[in-house]
Amino acid sequence: MPRHPNPDVLVGYETADDAGVFRIDEERALVQTLDFFTPVVDDPYVYGSIAAANSLSDVYAMGGKPLTALAITCFPEKDVEMSLLGQIMRGGLEKLTEAEVALIGGHTVKDSEIKFGYSITGLVHPKRIVTNAGARPGDALVLTKPLGIGLLTSGVKLRKTSASGAQEAINVMTALNRTASEVMLRHDCHAATDVTGNGLLGHAYEMAVASGVTLRFAADRIPYIPEAYSLAKTRYLPKTIASTWTMIAGSTRFDSHVPDPLRNILLDPQTSGGLLISLNSENLDAFLADIAGRQVEARHIGTVEELRDSHILVEQAIPQSL
Ligand code: CO
Ligand code: CO
């Protein structure tokens, strides 16, 4: 596709960012995104809720304030109870309401497979857009949700995940990235992206390439849902773990002390995952103090360095001084 010549397109499709941004005037720009997917859980209400949290996340990752939502629905003509659709919609609507976002319409098409999601529109100040291209050497890297969602949800389909593990995954997926976004905007963040289908390292790789830097992670600081670790030891892994590895292997180096299950967790595809934030390291303590007590599990997991021979470095531990 040719590059769009319109100077008001501040973020377009070219940079594989979380959302597009279009300038209205000197003070305001629209942030727009669309996401929909097949069910990741059995409960229709929870599925709707996850779909809403996930769609909103791309606007939060850009530093935007989401305002309106349009629902996108694919639903079978027969064999599935129509009441299911009502529950999906209700789960989504209540999550949008929690986020103070107005549902203003949508569209439904007949399809053999259920799919659901939203297009979200928000606002951002044109000079305060948080892209994935602004990470600078010296920055601290923070992750705002634990990993392991893909392992746990695919484990549910194979009956390998416990009920409590499944519930933990649901709690993580339905949590909004709103607080994390609001806090990062108060503390000189340079870049952010939400962690979704490509896993932490896949999205970190995109950020590293867009920013022209190396991201260095300490494996022992990575937060994950505990049960994900035992699932990550098995051969029942989400397929995208391997495909993401193929995508980034040429520019990623793992220290030999990082255990294999943890490597899988670092590549595990997330649905409605947390924000990976690159912020001025002088603001790290203030950021962590500000977010503490706000029900967000934010962790300092690495640092940004000048570009080396690979974009991603994963060590078992990195010195505390970093
Ligand atoms: Co995203
Ligand atoms: Co998305």
Side-chain angles (χ1 to χ4, degrees), residues 18 58 194 196:
D18 296 300
D58 279 327
D194 60 339
T196 52

Side-chain angles (χ1 to χ4, degrees), residues 17-19 33 35 54 57-58 61 193-196 203:
D17 217 318
D18 296 300
T33 180
D35 215 336
N54 177 72
S57 177
D58 279 327
T193 191
D194 60 339
V195 179
T196 52
H203 293 283

Side-chain angles (χ1 to χ4, degrees), residues 91-148:
L93 182 59
E94 289 188 9
K95 188 51 68 179
L96 294 174
T97 305
E98 179 191 330
E100 298 172 274
V101 168
L103 179 68
I104 55 172
H107 188 67
T108 303
V109 294
K110 290 179 190 118
D111 194 354
S112 55
E113 191 178 36
I114 298 176
K115 299 177 194 80
F116 185 70
Y118 295 95
S119 172
I120 306 289
T121 298
L123 282 178
V124 68
H125 191 289
K127 295 209 161 63
R128 303 210 64 196
I129 303 165
V130 184
T131 68
N132 62 2
R136 300 177 207 170
D139 280 1
L141 294 170
V142 172
L143 178 65
T144 68
K145 285 188 186 183
L147 303 174

Side-chain angles (χ1 to χ4, degrees), residues 36-318:
F36 65 125
F37 47 75
T38 56
V40 285
V41 291
D42 291 335
D43 183 324
Y45 177 91
V46 172
Y47 169 45
S49 176
I50 293 167
N54 177 72
S55 296
L56 292 166
S57 177
D58 279 327
V59 176
Y60 292 133
M62 302 300 288
K65 178 180 162 48
L67 296 175
T68 59
L70 298 166
I72 304 120
T73 313
C74 301
F75 207 77
E77 199 169 6
K78 49 180 191 275
D79 303 329
V80 184
E81 287 251 13
M82 273 310 278
S83 68
L84 272 183
L85 183 54
Q87 292 174 60
I88 294 169
M89 295 272 191
R90 196 166 57 83
L93 182 59
E94 289 188 9
K95 188 51 68 179
L96 294 174
T97 305
E98 179 191 330
E100 298 172 274
V101 168
L103 179 68
I104 55 172
H107 188 67
T108 303
V109 294
K110 290 179 190 118
D111 194 354
S112 55
E113 191 178 36
I114 298 176
K115 299 177 194 80
F116 185 70
Y118 295 95
S119 172
I120 306 289
T121 298
L123 282 178
V124 68
H125 191 289
K127 295 209 161 63
R128 303 210 64 196
I129 303 165
V130 184
T131 68
N132 62 2
R136 300 177 207 170
D139 280 1
L141 294 170
V142 172
L143 178 65
T144 68
K145 285 188 186 183
L147 303 174
I149 298 296
L151 286 155
L152 286 155
T153 54
S154 58
V156 168
K157 286 168 191 152
L158 301 161
R159 301 183 192 281
K160 306 251 176 229
T161 300
S162 73
S164 65
Q167 187 57 49
E168 272 187 88
I170 286 169
N171 295 346
V172 172
M173 287 188 282
T174 53
L176 292 173
N177 280 328
R178 178 186 188 172
T179 302
S181 176
E182 289 172 355
V183 173
M184 79 174 181
L185 293 174
R186 292 199 286 268
H187 296 281
D188 197 17
C189 69
H190 294 153
T193 191
D194 60 339
V195 179
T196 52
N198 294 328
L200 175 66
L201 294 189
H203 293 283
Y205 174 78
E206 288 173 345
M207 180 184 281
V209 171
S211 304
V213 295
T214 287
L215 304 190
R216 183 176 175 195
F217 294 97
D220 68 348
R221 297 190 191 182
I222 301 296
Y224 55 85
I225 299 169
E227 195 171 320
Y229 198 90
S230 52
L231 292 164
K233 287 181 188 166
T234 69
R235 52 199 178 81
Y236 307 104
L237 301 172
K239 286 192 186 69
T240 40
I241 287 182
S243 55
T244 298
W245 177 241
T246 303
M247 175 180 103
I248 69 169
S251 197
T252 299
R253 272 202 290 128
F254 274 106
D255 156 349
S256 60
H257 297 101
V258 180
D260 284 343
L262 202 46
R263 295 183 192 217
N264 290 333
I265 287 171
L266 288 161
L267 295 162
D268 182 46
Q270 308 298 286
T271 300
S272 191
L275 300 185
L276 172 65
I277 301 167
S278 182
L279 80 162
N280 185 337
S281 58
E282 284 170 21
N283 295 55
L284 174 65
D285 290 341
F287 173 92
L288 293 173
D290 192 352
I291 208 160
R294 296 184 195 273
Q295 276 142 12
V296 178
E297 196 185 315
R299 291 262 194 95
H300 176 210
I301 59 167
T303 59
V304 180
E305 302 190 343
E306 300 278 354
L307 181 60
R308 301 200 201 172
D309 54 354
S310 55
H311 278 294
I312 303 287
L313 287 177
V314 185
E315 288 161 271
Q316 178 56 16
I318 53 181

